[in-house]
Amino acid sequence: MGIDLKAGGRRTGHNSRTAPVSKNVYVKLLEKLFAFLARRAESKFALTIVKRLRMSQINNPPISISRLSRYMKGKEGKTAVIVGAVTDDPRLLEIPQLTIAALRFTETARARIVKAGGECITLDQLALRTPKGSNTILLRGAKTARESVRHFGHRTTVTNPHPHDGVKPRVISKGRKFEKARGRRRSTGFKV
């Protein structure tokens, strides 16, 4: 007997979500609203938002004001749409005037955007303004910005010194006795 591949054998856990896992009532209502728009208005924009509302939190990373302002340069008059959180960046001194639609804003981010003459709107307000997403820019944060991503890859060995260059080792402490010998110095075996 073989595997019935057509019936979905072997490939498990790769099915796309049909509803958000979040218990947040507002996220569920937003998903319903945009799913309706995607179906009845045949809007690809709404379909993308539905897909992102169903994603896990790791796949829906936050985006900072600084990154947002960089992406929106030269796109004045358009609305930035983020299916996730918008966070503040104290390193950014001047914020341009932006209209941003997002799931949520941090307090400081909202205050700074409004102070700069910008506007923070919710996704349901966006659906009323532009149901098909005209004059909008759909953005998302960097997925690889998490600290844990730095550790992803294979370990370094004598036979394979560069499997993924720059993979951060998981070290208990940064002292003299921790991962500072073989593989870390020329005098002791090899250096990566």
Side-chain angles (χ1 to χ4, degrees):
M1 288 282 288
I3 304 167
D4 191 352
L5 294 173
K6 279 196 176 139
R10 196 177 291 151
R11 228 175 108 82
T12 56
H14 291 275
N15 28 358
S16 55
R17 287 182 175 182
T18 51
V21 173
S22 167
K23 292 202 168 44
N24 189 332
V25 184
Y26 300 106
V27 171
K28 288 186 175 183
L29 284 169
L30 279 172
E31 190 262 347
K32 255 186 180 174
L33 167 68
F34 280 98
F36 176 80
L37 284 172
R39 193 177 75 249
R40 294 300 295 268
E42 291 179 3
S43 163
K44 278 191 174 178
F45 169 79
L47 196 65
T48 309
I49 286 186
V50 168
K51 197 167 72 180
R52 290 187 190 179
L53 281 167
R54 290 171 181 173
M55 281 180 182
S56 63
Q57 274 201 300
I58 279 177
N59 290 322
N60 249 346
I63 190 168
S64 67
I65 294 183
S66 55
R67 201 177 275 260
L68 247 172
S69 59
R70 194 165 73 233
Y71 289 155
M72 293 302 285
K73 199 166 270 172
K75 296 181 178 80
E76 285 76 27
K78 295 202 172 194
T79 307
V81 182
I82 296 99
V83 185
V86 175
T87 57
D88 186 25
D89 191 349
R91 297 169 298 181
L92 186 70
L93 302 173
E94 277 188 34
I95 298 173
Q97 191 175 335
L98 299 165
T99 305
I100 305 163
L103 268 182
R104 69 181 193 87
F105 298 85
T106 60
E107 273 183 50
T108 46
R110 187 187 290 274
R112 286 186 73 188
I113 292 162
V114 172
K115 194 181 175 187
E119 196 181 6
C120 300
I121 63 170
T122 56
L123 292 176
D124 54 312
Q125 286 172 314
L126 175 84
L128 288 170
R129 284 190 195 183
T130 57
K132 284 194 165 188
S134 54
N135 222 21
T136 59
I137 307 281
L138 198 54
L139 299 169
R140 51 178 160 183
K143 250 173 80 167
T144 54
R146 290 185 305 141
E147 200 279 332
S148 57
V149 177
R150 295 180 188 179
H151 299 282
F152 293 171
H154 309 295
R155 67 199 172 105
T156 350
T157 58
V158 184
T159 52
N160 194 3
H162 309 287
H164 288 263
D165 279 351
V167 170
K168 192 176 180 182
R170 286 191 168 90
V171 186
I172 301 163
S173 175
K174 281 200 75 155
R176 171 189 58 83
K177 299 185 286 184
F178 301 92
E179 299 201 16
K180 288 279 195 291
R182 201 164 168 281
R184 288 289 171 195
R185 285 185 297 185
R186 293 247 178 271
S187 60
T188 51
F190 67 105
K191 165 105 169 68
V192 175

